[in-house]
Amino acid sequence: MLQSGENKIQKSLLLFAAAIVFGIVGYMLIEGWGFLDALYMTIITLGTIGFGEIHPLSPTGRIFTIFLIIFGLGTAASVINNFGSILLEQKLNSILGRKNMQTALRKLNNHVILGGFGQIGKAISLKLQENSIPFVVIDELDEEVKKAEQLGYLTLNDNVTSDVTLLAAGIKRAHCIVIELVPFAVEFA
């Protein structure tokens, strides 16, 4: 069963926190150090800083430090690996999503280009969808594009007046273009 990326990171961070607690408690019990010295030694050990020992270690303390390094580096590597995996997965999903969108846009023919996904744009998109008319939504606002994507619509996050954007939306093969105009107030002094 696959874990979500967030769940993997939480487990890795919990393990790393456990390694820190393990180190602090170990140094306090084995070497008799105070909390601050034990914390400091644990952090420089897990961080592989290499400042050296803050107090001379007993043979038992040295063996403990070896186990702390192995356990701590393993958990730190797990955290880094999980963060890297999530970032890579997000990047790949983004690239594949764009490629899929571009492929779908190239296949559109006799479609409607809908410029703007405000109230009017949303109402128009519902009517187009009800009548099985293919369309693509173009909007500059990220949040509006995300709303359209969540509804399963083809989208372009760009300016509808851009020639490049219109060409990407397949204007040469489109049936028509509908642009939602945003009303604005003009103030006279």
Side-chain angles (χ1 to χ4, degrees):
M1 174 185 242
L2 294 174
Q3 300 178 45
S4 73
E6 188 175 301
N7 193 11
K8 285 181 182 179
I9 288 176
Q10 286 175 347
K11 285 183 178 181
S12 297
L13 288 173
L14 280 172
L15 271 175
F16 191 67
I20 292 172
V21 170
F22 176 70
I24 293 169
V25 171
Y27 286 121
M28 289 175 77
L29 293 175
I30 294 169
E31 298 297 331
W33 293 349
F35 175 78
L36 188 57
D37 284 344
L39 172 65
Y40 181 74
M41 185 65 178
T42 299
I43 297 301
I44 66 171
T45 300
L46 293 178
T48 65
I49 307 287
F51 282 152
E53 301 163 1
I54 57 172
H55 301 293
L57 287 172
S58 66
T60 306
R62 287 178 184 223
I63 292 170
F64 173 76
T65 301
I66 291 168
F67 284 109
L68 180 61
I69 290 170
I70 293 168
F71 179 61
L73 289 180
T75 59
S78 175
V79 171
I80 292 168
N81 179 47
N82 288 332
F83 272 116
S85 296
I86 288 171
L87 292 175
L88 181 62
E89 184 179 331
Q90 288 174 346
K91 186 66 176 172
L92 284 174
N93 285 341
S94 173
I95 290 168
L96 291 175
R98 275 196 301 266
K99 282 191 173 266
N100 290 341
M101 187 72 68
Q102 290 169 348
T103 301
L105 288 171
R106 280 194 297 270
K107 291 180 180 179
L108 282 179
N109 197 22
N110 205 24
H111 59 287
V112 174
I113 296 174
L114 179 56
F117 199 64
Q119 286 182 326
I120 296 169
K122 287 177 184 129
I124 294 170
S125 69
L126 287 172
K127 286 294 180 188
L128 291 170
Q129 189 176 33
E130 283 174 14
N131 292 298
S132 300
I133 299 171
F135 64 97
V136 59
V137 174
I138 302 174
D139 202 307
E140 285 183 290
L141 300 175
D142 293 340
E143 60 271 8
E144 297 301 334
V145 170
K146 286 179 185 171
K147 288 176 188 174
E149 286 174 348
Q150 287 172 347
L151 293 170
Y153 300 159
L154 291 175
T155 62
L156 287 171
N157 188 250
D158 213 332
N159 186 329
V160 72
T161 63
S162 163
D163 290 343
V164 173
T165 303
L166 291 172
L167 287 171
I171 194 161
K172 291 181 179 181
R173 301 178 314 279
H175 176 70
C176 68
I177 181 169
V178 178
I179 298 178
E180 175 183 22
L181 296 176
V182 179
F184 62 94
V186 179
E187 292 184 29
F188 294 97

